Amino acid sequence: MAITDRSDTPDSDIDLTPVDVAGIVSHVRDTYNSGRTRPIEWREEQLDGLVRMLKLESPRLEAALAADMGKPALEGFTTDVGFIATEISAIRKHVAKWAKPRKVRLPMSAMPGKGYIVPEPLGVALVIAPWNYPINLLLLPMAAAIAAGNAVIAKPSELAGETSKALAELIPRYVDPEAIAVIEGDVAVATDLLEQRFDHIFYTGSTDVGRIVATAAARFLTPVTLELGGKSPVLVDDSANIEVTGRRLAWGKWLNAGQTCVAPDYVLVTEKTRDALVDSMRTAFDEFSDGNGTQDNPDFTSIVNERHTTRLQGLLTGHGGTVAVGGESDLDAKHVDPTIIVDPDADSPLMRQEIFGPILPVITVESMHEAVEFVNDREKPLALYVFAEDDEKADELIANTTSGGACVNHVIQHLVPADLPFGGVGESGTGRYHGQSGFDTFSNLRSVLKKPTKMDLKMLYPPYTAKKEKMIRRFI
Ligand code: NAD
């Protein structure tokens, strides 16, 4: 079932018509209640369908990504289409095993008996996705929900309009449309959806909207996974390999033009290492663009729309720092140069807002101790990066800070291994997914204890005699 809402949305190119959100949710719920989504075979078929879609329709999907934000085909393939096909194939491979009851060891006090954790579906899940990796961030939570035996309503982002259209058209051709519905739409549609009752809401997007989602979910005590944003810091120790560090940081800002939830947001480095690091990033940007700059460069993504370009242009002014690299932008082309700004004011918008674009502030600190304090004085980030050749120092910096995830000597890569659960902490989100953690997120991990009746220990029952008390106090 693919449904389109048509109403005026300034930022969106999707065709919008009013849709019967409540009716669709109710239909999908009826399907769930019929038991159709529970068999493992059904789940496997849907996951196969999604993988088939990603493989057969990759030209259309990559073209939609390019139309929405000038995403280079290779980036579209690696971060959205191809990467997701591999992840969903791995979920498909493991779903039967994950869905099996998990036997647990019982303590003496619970003997005799057998204990199990029985994963069961929650019901109807709502997945709301953002525009920056619009296929990845819609399909991967959907796949986890399907693997766990849920029915799903999925809402792509209206800001990636071509991709939204493509997904709404293609998904029902490859999966069971009675149980899996795509509803296109803007904030009004998302708001309508949040008025319905779901059994899980999986939201990816900004922290401010995350709060709205959590508030709406509270009405029905619906569990939520919130994959949010924030400022992900980078701590560069004096022991770091500066050439590699500069290249990897530059790549973290080049990829999707920095419009990545776990993009490095700002760097903390001592004066001793700072200038070499900035030089190394400048060299890396030059190499990436073959010396031709980034405007009209097919390997460099555009900013998603004019509103976000204007927002980033605002961050390029009034920061009080020194522009060491880049600094140019073009509203018509929705382009912002990869830009490094050294020592902006700590209270400038650049250092208070999540940047979500190709601008990287570099802050000089006295020591890594000061860097840790700087990070710990702010909201808990989604990702934290440490660059150090001194492994003990790296461990110490990780141990003295917190974040949803962390990566040493690289950026963004900790998202890749499916066995590393992905998610935020505090303002950067709550809950985890990827691999089995996603399956568990969309499951009720039901505890079941089976007791035999052959033996019925009277010790438990009143009257509470002195003899029983002595025994119980000894064994429990
Ligand atoms: P967005 O504007 O596309 O919004 C995300 C979704 O929320 C869309 O489907 C949109 O329709 C819906 N939405 C917007 N306003 C709403 C409202 N008032 N009520 C209900 N739904 C609403 O995307 P965005 O929020 O600009 O995305 C960027 C943010 O997402 C950044 O902060 C980024 O860090 C974060 N993000 C996080 C992750 C992660 O995995 N943690 C991944 C990508 C992006």
Side-chain angles (χ1 to χ4, degrees), residues 233-246 248-249 264 266-278 280-281 360-369 371-372 375 384-389 393-394 397 409 411:
V234 183
L235 283 67
V236 179
D237 184 54
D238 289 338
S239 71
N241 176 332
I242 293 306
E243 189 189 333
V244 173
T245 303
R248 291 181 179 181
L249 288 176
Y266 63 93
V267 177
L268 299 162
V269 61
T270 64
E271 191 172 359
K272 181 177 164 203
T273 306
R274 183 194 61 210
D275 293 349
L277 179 69
V278 170
S280 160
M281 289 192 279
L360 187 65
V362 173
I363 313 286
T364 315
V365 288
E366 287 286 324
S367 62
M368 281 299 106
H369 177 71
V372 165
V375 169
L384 180 136
Y385 302 113
V386 170
F387 284 82
E389 289 303 294
K393 192 63 182 280
L397 293 172
N409 287 332
V411 293

Side-chain angles (χ1 to χ4, degrees), residues 294-295 313 316 323 325-330 335-339 358-359:
T294 48
Q295 187 149 10
Q313 286 179 322
L316 288 173
V323 177
V325 174
E328 298 299 316
S329 64
D330 179 338
H335 172 81
V336 175
D337 269 357
T339 298
I359 309 169

Side-chain angles (χ1 to χ4, degrees), residues 128-133 137 155-159 185-187 190-191 194 203-207 209 212-213 226-230 260-262 307-308 354 356 382 422 428 433:
I128 301 181
W131 51 267
N132 61 334
Y133 294 96
L137 298 171
K155 197 201 86 61
S157 173
E158 70 279 20
L159 300 199
D186 58 359
V187 178
T191 306
L194 290 174
Y203 174 79
T204 307
S206 66
T207 299
V209 176
I212 295 172
V213 171
L226 300 174
E227 299 286 345
L228 309 177
T260 304
C261 55
V262 286
R307 179 165 59 87
H308 277 284
E354 176 182 3
F356 219 59
L382 183 59
F422 177 74
S428 60
Y433 76 130

Side-chain angles (χ1 to χ4, degrees), residues 115-156:
Y116 302 91
I117 295 166
V118 183
E120 50 176 42
L122 291 167
V124 181
L126 171 65
V127 174
I128 301 181
W131 51 267
N132 61 334
Y133 294 96
I135 300 174
N136 180 331
L137 298 171
L138 189 80
L139 258 54
L140 203 50
M142 275 178 75
I146 292 167
N150 299 279
V152 184
I153 306 268
K155 197 201 86 61

